[in-house]
Amino acid sequence: AASGEPEVKKAKTDGDSYYKVIDGVKYDRGLLDMVERFAADGQVGYPEAKKLWADAQDGNKLTDIERATLKYAMETYKFTDKAANFLKVYLEAGTHSSYYKLIDGKKYDRELLEAAEKYAADGQISKAEAKALLEDAADGKGITGTEKDTLEYALEKLKFTPKAKEYMEGQLKSAEPKSYYKIIDGVK
């Protein structure tokens, strides 16, 4: 390891440098090689995109170089629409520090919306995933108004299976948003 790279990183690339420099930018050589193999048939498909994501998260966290490598791959190689959407959603999730996401002037719960987008990245949200979203929303003392708005926005904008949609709509009708304030005689 005269190059100063960790043995773990060198082992992954059979002695080559862990990085590949293209136009002065460092990329993850192993990930690039993987993309090239996957794209050899003309395009990278959804199952292959999932493998790329899993490989990129080898340390259970995406480094800036791994993120740049996946973005470069998406710009350089052909991906199916489903594969490109999957990586786009996963690359964007968790990169923002604000608790809320503002869309058309309305506040939504960023973490809850990103979870819904991740579930929808494979094409649609299942009933089990809809239940998980509701559980996430009811994390405090029930579902807040913002969380309810977020779930309603997800229902409107993302694809749910018929059973998931029916379940979510039913749960949202019965869930009265909780406020931190108690209203007594019409006053907070």
Side-chain angles (χ1 to χ4, degrees), residues 47-65:
E48 296 162 329
K50 286 177 74 173
K51 288 177 186 166
L52 286 170
W53 181 254
D55 190 70
Q57 285 201 298
D58 55 4
N60 214 8
K61 183 181 183 316
L62 203 64
T63 66
D64 290 342
I65 290 175

Side-chain angles (χ1 to χ4, degrees), residues 112 115 119 125-138 151 167-168:
L112 189 59
Y119 287 145
I125 295 173
S126 69
K127 185 175 178 185
E129 291 166 336
K131 282 183 177 181
L133 287 172
L134 278 160
E135 285 172 17
D136 284 353
L151 293 173
Y167 174 78
M168 181 69 79

Side-chain angles (χ1 to χ4, degrees), residues 6 14 26 43 59 65 70 172 175:
D14 298 326
K26 270 188 189 179
Q43 63 185 0
I65 290 175
L70 290 175
L172 288 175

Side-chain angles (χ1 to χ4, degrees), residues 37-148:
R37 284 195 311 276
F38 291 159
D41 67 354
Q43 63 185 0
V44 178
Y46 173 69
E48 296 162 329
K50 286 177 74 173
K51 288 177 186 166
L52 286 170
W53 181 254
D55 190 70
Q57 285 201 298
D58 55 4
N60 214 8
K61 183 181 183 316
L62 203 64
T63 66
D64 290 342
I65 290 175
E66 290 162 336
R67 180 177 303 282
T69 303
L70 290 175
K71 285 182 178 179
Y72 171 81
M74 290 176 68
E75 292 163 5
T76 309
Y77 298 95
K78 181 162 177 41
F79 282 70
T80 63
D81 289 344
K82 189 174 179 180
N85 182 57
F86 170 82
L87 282 176
K88 182 176 160 280
V89 167
Y90 275 72
L91 281 168
E92 286 178 8
T95 59
H96 305 280
S97 57
S98 169
Y99 182 76
Y100 297 106
K101 182 171 188 170
L102 206 60
I103 302 171
D104 297 329
K106 190 164 186 170
K107 276 197 314 192
Y108 297 101
D109 181 308
R110 179 179 302 280
E111 211 170 280
L112 189 59
L113 187 56
E114 286 180 354
E117 288 169 341
K118 282 182 173 182
Y119 287 145
D122 69 355
Q124 58 189 356
I125 295 173
S126 69
K127 185 175 178 185
E129 291 166 336
K131 282 183 177 181
L133 287 172
L134 278 160
E135 285 172 17
D136 284 353
D139 54 357
K141 294 182 177 184
I143 297 176
T144 66
T146 303
E147 289 166 335
K148 186 174 183 192

Side-chain angles (χ1 to χ4, degrees), residues 19-37:
Y19 302 108
K20 184 173 187 173
V21 179
I22 301 171
D23 296 330
V25 180
K26 270 188 189 179
Y27 296 107
D28 180 309
R29 180 181 302 276
L31 266 181
L32 280 179
D33 291 347
M34 201 176 195
V35 173
E36 286 173 12
R37 284 195 311 276

